[in-house]
Amino acid sequence: MKRALPLLAVFLLAGSQVVALEPPQGEVILTISGKLDHPNRDGQAVFDLAMLEALAGRAASMETPWTEGEIQFSGPLLRAVLAAAGAHGQEMTVKALNGYSADVPVNDAYGLDTMLATRIAGKPMSVREKGPLMLVYPFDQDASLYNERYFSRSVWQIQSIEVAP
Ligand SMILES: Nc1nc2c(c(=O)[nH]1)N[C@H]1C(S)=C(S)[C@@H](COP(=O)(O)O)O[C@H]1N2
Ligand SMILES: [Mo]
């Protein structure tokens, strides 16, 4: 028990280092709203490409219904983005530039290696190529995800994410 206190202090200190989310230097491509511990602009968390790509991420090659053959997607894990914003909640509304939106359980971020892809085949995605951000499920890890339930949550041209309790 004597060791518990210093250890706790170390965890608290480590936690406090991610409290502040730096302001973006480049063009804002993602806005997160909801109950946030780390807002960086007007109560919301805004990110540029460099901020997103600095977070813990993954790169994986897979087939999707929207692409030809196997192609590599890369970008931050959705849970890393939510953690950077300090977002709390159970449900997300993921909104696209074209007005499409999907309700996505927050558990899809924590229970799966879902990524907010910033790149396809190593290149940033233009809006024409379904960019700047696309929610990519780990179809490479779990073939049972390859169905309409997850396709409909695979929002492309993502602009914002609202996190609701
Ligand atoms: N931005 C955006 N993302 C989207 C959609 C959309 O219309 N706009 N449609 C969703 C749905 S309902 C499905 S099933 C898949 C596949 O859409 P598609 O069949 O039009 O390719 O993309 C999802 N992501
Ligand atoms: Mo769909």
Side-chain angles (χ1 to χ4, degrees):
M1 277 311 281
K2 280 218 169 108
R3 285 178 177 210
L5 269 179
L7 204 57
L8 183 64
V10 166
F11 279 118
L12 289 173
L13 198 64
S16 72
Q17 286 171 347
V18 294
V19 160
L21 181 65
E22 73 208 67
Q25 311 222 312
E27 183 198 346
V28 170
I29 57 172
L30 176 70
T31 299
I32 298 189
S33 60
K35 193 162 169 282
L36 307 180
D37 287 342
H38 316 147
N40 63 354
R41 183 179 290 175
D42 300 331
Q44 301 181 318
V46 292
F47 296 83
D48 62 20
L49 182 64
M51 290 166 71
L52 291 172
E53 292 191 335
L55 299 171
R58 77 181 298 247
S61 293
M62 66 189 84
E63 291 189 24
T64 77
W66 317 282
T67 43
E68 287 280 325
E70 280 228 334
I71 193 134
Q72 191 199 60
F73 293 91
S74 57
L77 291 165
L78 181 56
R79 60 176 168 269
V81 180
L82 294 175
H88 298 282
Q90 298 292 318
E91 280 290 327
M92 291 173 281
T93 303
V94 180
K95 297 183 175 181
L97 292 164
N98 68 342
Y100 181 83
S101 74
D103 291 331
V104 176
V106 167
N107 196 43
D108 281 9
Y110 289 93
L112 299 169
D113 286 341
T114 306
M115 88 171 96
L116 206 54
T118 56
R119 289 170 189 259
I120 187 162
K123 290 179 303 191
M125 292 183 284
S126 66
V127 171
R128 184 176 296 185
E129 294 166 316
K130 297 186 162 45
L133 299 169
M134 181 170 172
L135 190 58
V136 176
Y137 281 82
F139 298 123
D140 59 312
Q141 292 177 343
D142 185 352
S144 74
L145 299 172
Y146 206 81
N147 60 60
E148 178 66 25
R149 171 186 302 211
Y150 294 98
F151 297 158
S152 68
R153 297 178 187 173
S154 298
V155 184
W156 58 75
Q157 295 177 332
I158 293 171
Q159 182 172 42
S160 64
I161 299 175
E162 285 178 22
V163 186

